[in-house]
Structures are given as C-alpha cells and as structure tokens.
Amino acid sequence: HAKAQGRNSYQFYSSQLNTQSSEHMALANSLHQAFEQNEFRLHYQPLLDLKTKQIVGAEALIRWQHPKLGLVMPGKFIPIAEETGLILRLGEFVITSVCQQLQAWQQKGLPHGRIAINLSGQHFRLQDSLRHTIAKILRDYNISPIHLEVELTESEIMQNSDRTIQVLSELRNIGIHIAIDDFGTGYSSLSYLKHFPVDTLKIDRCFVQDVTTDRHDAAITIAMIDLAHNLSLNVIAEGVETEEQLAFLTQNGCDRMQGYLFSRPVPPEEFEKMVMGGKHL
Ligand code: C2E
Ligand code: MG
Ligand code: MG
Ligand code: MG
C-alpha cells in the first residue's frame, strides 16, 4: 500500500514537473519569434506625487501577447530571456517603444512626465555601448533624456558593481534618471549607497504590504524614507493597495507612489485617458 502511494505521489510530482518544463520550453522556443511577430506589449502604471496628488509619470512594464497562451506576464519570460541572451534585444525593444510612445504623446501635447523602464544587469555587464544605444534611440525620436528613468534592482547593481556603477554614471551624466528597484531586498552595504549614481530609491512592495500592521515593516519603511532623504534621493513606494498604506506613506514623507490602489499597469491608450482626464489621488 505504502509503495503504491509512493508511486502515486512520485507520478504526481513528475507530471507537475513536466507541465512546468514543457511550458518553459514552449515559451523558450517561441521567444525568438515573438520579436518577429511583434507580440510584446508595454503597459504603463502611473506614478503619483504624494504632495500634488497628480500623475507625474509611469513605469513601463512588458507583457507578451502569446498567440496560444494569451497574455504572459514578465515573471514567466524575463528569466528565459536572461538565460538565452535575448534580454539585450528585449531591452532595446523597450527603450525604442517607450521613445516612440513619448514622441506620439509629445505630438498630442500630452504632459507625460517621466517614464521608467526596467533594465537587466546584463545590459550593464555585457553591452559596452549601452549609453550610445540609448542616446541614439533618444535622438531618433527627438526625446530629451530627462523624460527617461532607468530602473535596476539593488541585487543587480551589487553584481559586478564597479562596471555597473560606471555605466549608470554615464547614463546619469546625459540626464537620464536612475532608480534602484526593489530596494531593501538586496544586500547593498549602506556605505556603498553614497557612491551610487542614483536619483531614486524604490521601496519594495514586500515592505509596503504590511506597513500598517507590522511594526517592523513600518520601522524599516520609515528608515528607508529617511535614508533616501538624508542622501538627497527621491523615494517611491511600490505596491500600494490600500488607503491606510497611502496615509502612512504620506504622513512619513514618501515622495511618490505606484500601486493597484490608484491603477494597475494599463495599455498606453488608457494611461493617456487618465492623464487627459486629470485623474488624481
Ligand atoms: P518591478 O520592476 O518591481 O515592477 C513592479 C511589479 O509590481 C509589476 O509587476 C507591477 O504590475 C506590480 N505591481 C504594481 N503595483 C502593485 C500592487 O499594488 N500590488 C501588486 N500585487 N503588484 C503590483 P509585473 O508587471 O508583473 O512585473 C514583474 C517584474 O518583471 C518587474 O518588477 C520587473 O522586475 C520585471 N519586468 C517587467 N517589465 C520588464 C522589462 O521591460 N524589462 C525587464 N528587464 N524586466 C521587466
Ligand atoms: Mg521596476
Ligand atoms: Mg520593484
Ligand atoms: Mg521586482
């Protein structure tokens, strides 16, 4: 009996593993084609200023409109893009689409503010020409670098940090803003932080989630806000879902927020409507 049970549970796990790896393989096999078939979409999540309560920009977040699987979220294919090296091409796609979108918005007279994009550490480690690539795309679409913010996670910055910091400085020198994403989840030594060429700390959602119920998360969040301000950095909280979280962050001097409370990431037309309609907190 025990043996049979053992075999069943083995089968259970093995078939679960199979579905997982076959999905992974299906995605890996069609990732190349996704570029040719133009299947990537950028959604935009509004960033709000907590003093003025207005939309001051957005974070561009990629989705994959897969012909069979529907809308695939980045958590499923960014790791594959990283493994296969396609992440570099994906990054260029994101920068180009955002600049194209900014140009279209500029032509309509839309006050769009600054758009944040996520880059992978590989861009900094492997792509010698990152600054030139970005500068060229900005020129092609006639976009000022001040409209762009580059996000890199704290843990990515810490890998090969000398090289990464050098490239981040180059980007910052041409006027692009730099944000440390998922701040608090990596292992950056705080003494390092003063050497980082950054403008913004993004407090990770995991702290914001329980900020009104867990006194440790509350203390850490307050400490991160104060740390940012003492280093003359801007601070933004991600993943704000409740009015209580919003009130806490506002009371404690956080500069900006993004989260489902105000809006999920949406297609560009919907973001445009929010800005034009003057939607605010
Ligand atoms: P991230 O850069 O930290 O982006 C924030 C994530 O939190 C997004 O998930 C966003 O939809 C989600 N989020 C925002 N507000 C809330 C909220 O109130 N509640 C909850 N539960 N979630 C919220 P998404 O779009 O699934 O992206 C996940 C991650 O994938 C991103 O984390 C980023 O690391 C990566 N990613 C997304 N787009 C790109 C891209 O174009 N390039 C690269 N290299 N990575 C990307
Ligand atoms: Mg981000
Ligand atoms: Mg984040
Ligand atoms: Mg993240």
Side-chain angles (χ1 to χ4, degrees):
H1 182 69
K3 233 180 183 173
Q5 223 174 25
R7 194 153 51 226
N8 279 340
S9 57
Y10 167 75
Q11 271 173 356
F12 172 72
Y13 286 117
S14 97
S15 70
Q16 207 181 34
L17 271 176
N18 280 335
T19 17
Q20 225 178 40
S21 63
S22 72
E23 188 192 46
H24 185 277
M25 267 169 61
L27 291 177
N29 287 333
S30 48
L31 195 58
H32 263 108
Q33 280 171 314
F35 288 96
E36 271 77 56
Q37 312 288 338
N38 201 14
E39 289 166 2
F40 294 114
R41 305 280 176 267
L42 287 183
H43 283 186
Y44 291 83
Q45 186 177 37
L47 309 178
L48 288 111
D49 184 302
L50 288 175
K51 284 208 183 74
T52 65
K53 318 257 189 246
Q54 304 290 321
I55 299 174
V56 289
E59 177 173 9
L61 294 154
I62 200 163
R63 278 93 182 84
W64 178 6
Q65 188 62 58
H66 192 282
K68 294 205 186 73
L69 301 171
L71 202 67
V72 185
M73 298 304 275
K76 289 242 160 121
F77 65 91
I78 293 289
I80 303 174
E82 304 247 9
E83 284 160 25
T84 54
L86 283 171
I87 193 74
L88 298 182
R89 199 169 161 196
L90 195 88
E92 284 188 33
F93 167 82
V94 171
I95 299 161
T96 308
S97 312
V98 164
C99 289
Q100 215 165 12
Q101 188 64 69
L102 281 166
Q103 188 186 48
W105 282 335
Q106 248 168 35
Q107 284 163 357
K108 290 186 184 177
L110 192 84
H112 43 66
R114 194 177 275 123
I115 306 295
I117 60 167
N118 294 281
L119 288 182
S120 148
Q122 285 194 46
H123 286 99
F124 295 83
R125 294 190 288 273
L126 303 176
Q127 203 173 5
D128 286 329
S129 56
L130 184 64
R131 175 173 65 98
H132 294 113
T133 306
I134 297 184
K136 181 177 186 308
I137 299 171
L138 286 166
R139 265 199 317 277
D140 287 348
Y141 292 94
N142 198 20
I143 302 299
S144 160
I146 63 163
H147 291 304
L148 206 60
E149 179 156 15
V150 163
E151 296 188 1
L152 192 60
T153 65
E154 184 184 21
S155 31
E156 296 264 36
I157 294 179
M158 291 313 291
Q159 286 178 45
N160 198 354
S161 57
D162 290 346
R163 169 99 187 104
T164 303
I165 288 168
Q166 188 205 320
V167 182
L168 286 175
S169 309
E170 291 176 5
L171 295 179
R172 193 152 180 262
N173 287 340
I174 62 172
I176 295 172
H177 273 223
I178 310 293
I180 306 185
D181 206 349
D182 303 349
F183 188 71
T185 63
Y187 297 92
S188 59
S189 97
L190 294 179
S191 66
Y192 243 84
L193 204 56
K194 69 176 179 201
H195 302 299
F196 284 166
V198 298
D199 303 279
T200 302
L201 294 188
K202 293 194 80 169
I203 300 176
D204 192 75
R205 179 159 61 89
C206 71
F207 301 103
V208 176
Q209 214 167 320
D210 299 320
V211 83
T212 56
T213 50
D214 180 322
R215 65 190 176 87
H216 295 121
D217 285 336
I220 294 168
T221 300
I222 292 172
M224 287 194 283
I225 294 170
D226 290 345
L227 175 70
H229 289 160
N230 290 334
L231 293 168
S232 304
L233 304 175
N234 213 277
V235 61
I236 175 163
E238 51 182 20
V240 179
E241 293 185 352
T242 70
E243 292 287 352
E244 291 74 23
Q245 292 164 352
L246 175 66
F248 178 94
L249 294 161
T250 308
Q251 268 158 28
N252 287 288
C254 189
D255 301 300
R256 286 182 290 160
M257 71 77 114
Q258 72 187 99
Y260 294 174
L261 174 67
F262 185 78
S263 170
R264 290 184 176 251
V266 293
E269 312 79 57
E270 269 183 62
F271 175 68
E272 205 175 306
K273 276 188 207 144
M274 284 190 249
V275 175
M276 294 306 256
K279 186 179 175 194
H280 58 85
L281 272 173

